[in-house]
Amino acid sequence: MSTRKSRPIVAIVGRPNVGKSTLFNALAGENISIVKDTPGVTRDRIYADCTWLNYTFTLIDTGGIEPDSKDVILSQMREQAQIAIDTADVILFMTDMKQGMTDADSKVADMLRRSHKPVLLVVNKVDKYSDMAMAEVYEFYNLGIGDPYPVSSANKTGLGDLLDAVVKYFPEPGAEEEDDDSVKIAIVGKPNVGKSSIINRLIGENRVIVSDIAGTTRDAVDTRVMHNGKEYVFIDTAGLRRKNKIKEELEHYMIIRTVGAVDRADITVVVIDASEGVSEQDAKIAGIAHDRGKAVIVAVNKWDLVEKDNHSVKKFTDNIHNTLSFLPYAEILFISAETGQRLGKLYDTIDMVSANQNLRVQTGVLNEIISEAVMMQQPPTDKGKMLKIYYAVQVGVKPPTFVLFVNKKELFHFSYQRYIENQLRATFGFRGTPLKLIIRERSGEENPV
């Protein structure tokens, strides 16, 4: 049984150069993707959380590059479409009015129609709504996807009608999620680091296919496990298809699937290959979990293959802290799925991290700790004005979220926020989970904490 995603996923699919990244940026409200006239330029960020009419969703740009052969373009498009079908709740199929309907559009439309997922047909580059332009838009009815939505990504026109149609497929904001007390854990990492082997060991049977070929796991698989009377759901991120040899594309798809899995999880286990060390790609994957406020456990797998001395663990731990410097709170475990070494500790660590991310602090105690922190280190001042923290309250868990009421937000510098966070961690632990501080300004000279 699958658990519901915390945010619906909307994927943009289409041929190179139809304006997918421009639409992505227009909807995300900031220039996240790099847009150039060169088809298929590599982008750093391909997902963003967007809000429309009280609905929050994750938007994904499937990107794609343009090789020389038209046949390869078609296979790339099929690959993108399949990713969207696997991962998304709603698919935006993007076409280009100026180029007209192409054979590649028709073939991908066939795939999308058979997917039984909601697909909205977007006709881009409709700069003027003239009779002549609309006649060209109507040509796209021939794709059999339904009503085309004419938009201009560059001019940001037609986007409201498109978003209105998108959110109709979402559950109502605040709709009750299924009652499920199980801890949800996403096992993420580069292809072939041993994600499926770890799950097989934890559940004691080969439910997830494992092979030495990178990317043999096909789709995200949810495995429900009972251990010591507790229920866990392991979400195995799908591997990547072997036939796709293009490195940037592989990374692109890996990130899309990772976003989908992390979104549904409470805790993310980032699996690193001990024999390869910590890579920039590992940092990108871990960054997804951090950005989304998820608890993180770093599992260094294949530790049995590493030649060790007395300093090996410290050296590797330092390396993790340097490369993943944004995750100082992450728990680190050295394991081997092959031999089962220390794998039992993973359940204990998951339990500990789960308790920390659900920890609630009494308001009186919270304000006492912050008051002591303020006495130990004077708050920042600017032009004779000192930061005052009037009051703090915890408003949520997963991650633990605190609202601090202050006299002037701009005085609450990042470094002082980090100091307050460190004091909370020193007192309450919060191992494995990020903390979220929300700073609110309040007028009046109430007594500060």
Side-chain angles (χ1 to χ4, degrees):
M1 169 184 148
S2 278
T3 53
R4 183 185 290 175
K5 298 170 186 162
S6 51
R7 294 183 189 90
I9 292 180
V10 178
I12 306 171
V13 175
R15 285 185 290 111
N17 231 24
V18 293
K20 294 190 296 296
S21 296
T22 315
L23 176 66
F24 178 79
N25 289 333
L27 296 178
E30 54 185 311
N31 284 332
I32 294 175
S33 296
I34 300 161
V35 182
K36 289 186 185 171
D37 291 335
T38 316
V41 71
T42 309
R43 285 170 289 282
D44 288 328
R45 273 307 274 283
I46 58 161
Y47 66 92
D49 292 331
C50 306
T51 303
W52 182 256
L53 303 177
N54 296 325
Y55 293 90
T56 301
F57 60 96
T58 298
L59 184 69
I60 286 174
D61 173 14
T62 55
I65 64 170
E66 185 174 38
D68 301 325
S69 146
K70 284 188 178 170
D71 291 342
V72 182
I73 290 178
L74 196 49
S75 76
Q76 290 289 332
M77 278 205 64
R78 282 198 184 114
E79 196 79 38
Q80 280 183 45
Q82 192 58 54
I83 294 291
I85 288 165
D86 293 344
T87 313
D89 298 286
V90 180
I91 298 161
L92 301 182
F93 178 32
M94 198 154 185
T95 57
D96 181 341
M97 184 192 81
K98 291 184 174 163
Q99 291 178 19
M101 206 172 86
T102 67
D103 183 47
D105 290 333
S106 302
K107 291 212 166 61
V108 173
D110 288 341
M111 270 181 81
L112 293 174
R113 261 201 316 277
R114 289 195 298 272
S115 74
H116 305 300
K117 288 261 176 119
V119 180
L120 296 174
L121 175 61
V122 184
V123 181
N124 192 27
K125 305 183 187 175
V126 184
D127 299 326
K128 291 183 184 150
Y129 292 93
S130 64
D131 291 344
M132 190 184 290
M134 293 317 289
E136 290 184 49
V137 168
Y138 294 144
E139 178 200 357
F140 288 90
Y141 269 110
N142 292 319
L143 291 172
I145 294 286
D147 294 343
Y149 287 84
V151 305
S152 168
S153 300
N155 299 333
K156 299 188 179 176
T157 54
L159 303 185
D161 289 345
L162 176 62
L163 287 170
D164 285 347
V166 167
V167 299
K168 281 179 185 165
Y169 293 103
F170 297 165
E172 282 298 310
E176 284 297 306
E177 295 213 355
E178 60 197 53
D179 190 19
D180 188 352
D181 292 335
S182 59
V183 182
K184 294 157 201 76
I185 306 108
I187 309 280
V188 302
K190 294 182 301 189
N192 218 25
V193 292
K195 301 187 292 289
S196 300
S197 303
I198 289 170
I199 292 179
N200 288 340
R201 272 278 182 174
L202 290 171
I203 63 179
E205 54 182 298
N206 280 336
R207 295 258 299 271
V208 184
I209 300 161
V210 182
S211 152
D212 286 340
I213 301 169
T216 47
T217 322
R218 177 58 192 82
D219 293 318
V221 179
D222 286 5
T223 308
R224 205 166 269 268
V225 181
M226 288 297 291
H227 178 76
N228 287 347
K230 284 190 186 169
E231 195 167 35
Y232 305 82
V233 176
F234 289 100
I235 304 162
D236 180 26
T237 42
L240 309 158
R241 299 205 209 152
R242 183 67 177 155
K243 65 184 178 185
N244 195 330
K245 297 287 201 303
I246 298 159
K247 185 169 174 261
E248 288 82 359
E249 289 296 287
L250 282 172
E251 196 169 305
H252 218 81
Y253 300 147
M254 173 195 70
I255 287 171
I256 292 169
R257 286 205 167 127
T258 301
V259 169
V262 166
D263 226 15
R264 294 163 49 219
D266 304 312
I267 297 170
T268 304
V269 176
V270 180
V271 184
I272 289 171
D273 187 328
S275 55
E276 290 181 6
V278 198
S279 69
E280 192 186 322
Q281 215 174 353
D282 294 320
K284 277 186 187 175
I285 295 167
I288 292 168
H290 176 70
D291 287 350
R292 305 178 97 64
K294 304 293 181 175
V296 177
I297 298 167
V298 176
V300 182
N301 191 26
K302 308 184 187 178
W303 190 240
D304 54 311
L305 302 181
V306 175
E307 279 191 36
K308 291 177 274 296
D309 58 33
N310 293 340
H311 308 291
S312 300
V313 168
K314 185 185 183 305
K315 260 195 239 161
F316 210 103
T317 303
D318 290 346
N319 196 5
I320 290 171
H321 284 146
N322 288 336
T323 312
L324 310 182
S325 56
F326 52 89
L327 286 178
Y329 54 85
E331 285 295 299
I332 300 171
L333 274 182
F334 293 86
I335 61 169
S336 166
E338 182 68 29
T339 66
Q341 181 187 18
R342 276 191 290 278
L343 214 54
K345 276 203 77 177
L346 190 52
Y347 276 118
D348 297 338
T349 308
I350 287 166
D351 289 345
M352 181 264 288
V353 168
S354 177
N356 278 329
Q357 70 173 172
N358 285 289
L359 185 64
R360 288 189 182 273
V361 178
Q362 288 180 326
T363 304
V365 177
L366 175 67
N367 284 282
E368 229 172 83
I369 298 304
I370 291 177
S371 181
E372 281 175 21
V374 168
M375 283 194 295
M376 285 193 297
Q377 189 166 318
Q378 186 178 315
T381 55
D382 185 34
K383 294 173 186 161
K385 192 95 177 161
M386 184 190 282
L387 170 73
K388 289 177 184 167
I389 303 173
Y390 294 126
Y391 189 70
V393 63
Q394 184 174 358
V395 293
V397 294
K398 288 187 190 178
T401 303
F402 303 92
V403 175
L404 281 76
F405 295 96
V406 303
N407 58 338
K408 274 207 166 305
K409 273 171 83 166
E410 57 266 31
L411 289 174
F412 208 151
H413 301 152
F414 173 75
S415 57
Y416 203 72
Q417 285 189 41
R418 175 60 58 87
Y419 164 68
I420 293 292
E421 181 180 321
N422 288 341
Q423 293 307 112
L424 292 174
R425 288 188 184 281
T427 310
F428 304 109
F430 289 122
R431 285 167 58 189
T433 181
L435 301 182
K436 188 175 177 185
L437 301 186
I438 299 167
I439 313 306
R440 293 253 164 87
E441 215 166 86
R442 186 189 253 183
S443 57
E445 286 298 309
E446 297 102 322
N447 291 324
V449 296

